Amino acid sequence: MKSLNFSFALNRTWSVAVFFVVSSLASTSAIAQTGFTKKEAATAYSAFNAHFYSPEAKLYHSTTKRDHVAAIWVQAIYWDMAMDVYKRTKKPAQLQFITDLYVGNGHQYAQYDWTNHKVWFIYDDMMWWVMAFARAHELTGNPTYLQKSIDGFKHVWEGSYDPVNGGMFWDFKHSGKNACINYPTVIAAMRLYKSTGDTTYFSKAKQVYAWAKNNLFNAENGRVADHKIGNNRPGYEDYTYNQGTCIGAASLLYKATNDPTYLRDANLAATYTMETMSKNGVLPAEGDFNEQGILKAIFAQYMVPLVYEFKQTQYLPWLKKNVSLGWQNRDKRRDLTYRNYAVDCPTGDIQSYEASSIVLFMQLLEPTK
């Protein structure tokens, strides 16, 4: 992903008084739950594919204009979404769709040749795919996916890891160590450890997580820094995907170790996102440039398992309220949703990035019926 090492103004004005009248956790939880149906989850995904997916190229477009493909690292997130739908539906056609996306992205991106540094121009783009390949193997048992993940992890580790000071550099120039590669590295390593039983992955996961906690994580309130450059202080810019991958990394380590410190970290990151980053209970809109519309989709990928798998159900009313709001404010003609859940989805051209997060939440959260 292109670096997000700069500040940008988020729209903090939310016209959602009808839906959220208080901002505290207690009062948000007290509001009657709403939800969505299994049929609506299917509709949301079908609409997303109808407007952004190219059956010919087997890739996603960046906007409804369909004149450019989406960013290389974001295609991995869309592949993850396809896996979520397969887990939800178990339909053979969706399993084939996972294969199709693998084929299409392979054609586009040098058959996943990790040494091709024209196609892959930063390490963190690679790591999103390494994570996705490891997960695809877990889901399908396809050994090709596992080998792609193993090879990609090795390539990134050898080029990105700092053996002297610890942590992962996000780019080839080693300009800084960002959350967007460090926490994904932990997740990828833990998935590979699960699939291979190789304890070196487990050691690397703990190693990188320890560096990230010391350098990118506020252990008092759960805020995740975006980056650390040299010996400078961490750059604390609030992004939901960084909160999400921190949650995912901590959750996987907790699952493997039963060390409650990891679960505490995950809960701190989740609570910070809910109570501080969200305004009146609504997740931040996040910008419409540099693929930032995708960030909440990544957050969803790791936040929802914290609720269900790790039984942290205190977050469920908040998540369901966000999904209900975003779905209610969709473009009802196209059934497309928007990055700012609190306003009506624009009826003109929008990005696939900013249309993705509600769709992904709806594949992960349990429907009302």
Side-chain angles (χ1 to χ4, degrees):
M1 179 184 179
K2 295 180 181 178
S3 176
L4 299 183
N5 294 348
F6 51 84
S7 298
F8 61 87
L10 293 177
N11 182 352
R12 298 300 192 185
T13 304
W14 307 91
S15 55
V16 294
V18 171
F19 304 99
F20 294 89
V21 295
V22 285
S23 60
S24 70
L25 170 60
S27 54
T28 299
S29 299
I31 301 172
Q33 263 191 36
T34 58
F36 59 91
T37 66
K38 188 181 298 185
K39 182 179 179 180
E40 287 173 323
T43 295
Y45 187 59
S46 295
F48 185 83
N49 284 344
H51 289 281
F52 298 113
Y53 178 67
S54 167
E56 297 78 26
K58 296 181 172 61
L59 289 166
Y60 281 91
H61 292 284
S62 56
T63 75
T64 48
K65 289 180 179 178
R66 304 171 68 88
D67 52 359
H68 296 287
V69 299
I72 184 171
W73 74 285
V74 171
Q75 302 282 356
I77 311 306
Y78 296 154
W79 201 34
D80 254 327
M81 188 190 297
M83 295 181 220
D84 293 323
V85 175
Y86 178 64
K87 283 188 71 175
R88 178 175 62 80
T89 66
K90 302 299 183 185
K91 291 182 177 179
Q94 188 63 24
L95 183 60
Q96 180 59 50
F97 189 56
I98 292 171
T99 302
D100 290 346
L101 286 171
Y102 166 74
V103 171
N105 279 280
H107 287 319
Q108 183 75 12
Y109 304 122
Q111 298 302 325
Y112 310 102
D113 176 4
W114 306 111
T115 66
N116 185 329
H117 283 195
K118 291 183 179 178
V119 167
W120 305 99
F121 56 93
I122 44 179
Y123 287 119
D124 91 85
D125 281 6
M126 296 182 188
M127 193 53 75
W128 295 104
W129 274 100
V130 171
M131 281 197 298
F133 274 122
R135 185 178 180 222
H137 170 260
E138 287 181 9
L139 190 65
T140 69
N142 187 330
T144 298
Y145 298 153
L146 179 59
Q147 194 59 52
K148 292 290 185 187
S149 187
I150 290 170
D151 293 344
F153 190 93
K154 181 176 185 291
H155 181 80
V156 175
W157 185 267
E158 290 175 351
S160 170
Y161 180 69
D162 182 349
V164 177
N165 298 307
M168 308 289 291
F169 290 103
W170 80 284
D171 65 342
F172 297 161
K173 295 180 180 180
H174 289 190
S175 63
K177 298 172 183 177
N178 289 28
C180 65
I181 180 143
N182 280 276
Y183 289 116
T185 295
V186 176
I187 294 168
M190 291 304 293
R191 287 176 178 171
L192 286 170
Y193 170 55
K194 179 181 177 182
S195 291
T196 66
D198 185 342
T199 56
T200 59
Y201 289 118
F202 186 35
S203 297
K204 288 174 179 177
K206 291 188 290 184
Q207 202 174 320
V208 174
Y209 187 88
W211 181 90
K213 183 167 181 177
N214 288 331
N215 292 274
L216 297 172
F217 186 70
N218 185 326
E220 296 298 318
N221 64 11
R223 188 184 190 190
V224 179
D226 181 64
H227 58 274
K228 191 174 192 301
I229 300 174
N231 293 320
N232 295 318
R233 297 175 65 181
Y236 274 98
E237 301 166 24
D238 288 345
Y239 299 119
T240 55
Y241 80 144
N242 290 335
Q243 300 293 131
T245 53
C246 174
I247 291 166
S251 297
L252 289 175
L253 284 166
Y254 172 68
K255 186 175 183 179
T257 65
N258 284 321
D259 182 343
T261 304
Y262 291 121
L263 184 59
R264 176 182 179 273
D265 290 350
N267 276 320
L268 277 172
T271 301
Y272 181 82
T273 311
M274 178 174 67
E275 294 187 345
T276 302
M277 290 177 63
S278 300
K279 300 303 178 184
N280 296 320
V282 184
L283 282 160
E286 294 179 301
D288 60 355
F289 58 94
N290 251 19
E291 302 101 43
Q292 288 169 13
I294 197 74
L295 304 189
K296 289 192 292 299
I298 296 167
F299 174 74
Q301 196 72 61
Y302 302 102
M303 181 66 212
V304 175
L306 180 66
V307 170
Y308 292 133
E309 186 175 352
F310 298 96
K311 304 186 187 310
Q312 303 304 303
T313 56
Q314 65 269 31
Y315 303 110
L316 192 54
W318 165 61
L319 295 177
K320 286 193 172 183
K321 273 294 174 185
N322 272 271
V323 174
S324 293
L325 182 61
W327 182 244
Q328 288 165 16
N329 285 332
R330 71 190 182 280
D331 175 354
K332 294 179 177 60
R333 180 179 63 84
R334 299 183 294 180
D335 283 323
L336 292 179
T337 56
Y338 191 49
R339 62 184 172 85
N340 186 343
Y341 304 164
V343 302
D344 289 339
C345 176
T347 57
D349 182 43
I350 63 170
Q351 297 176 348
S352 58
Y353 318 128
E354 59 192 349
S356 64
S357 63
I358 290 294
V359 181
L360 191 48
F361 267 122
M362 292 173 80
Q363 310 315 308
L364 295 168
L365 288 167
E366 294 176 2
T368 54
K369 60 180 179 178

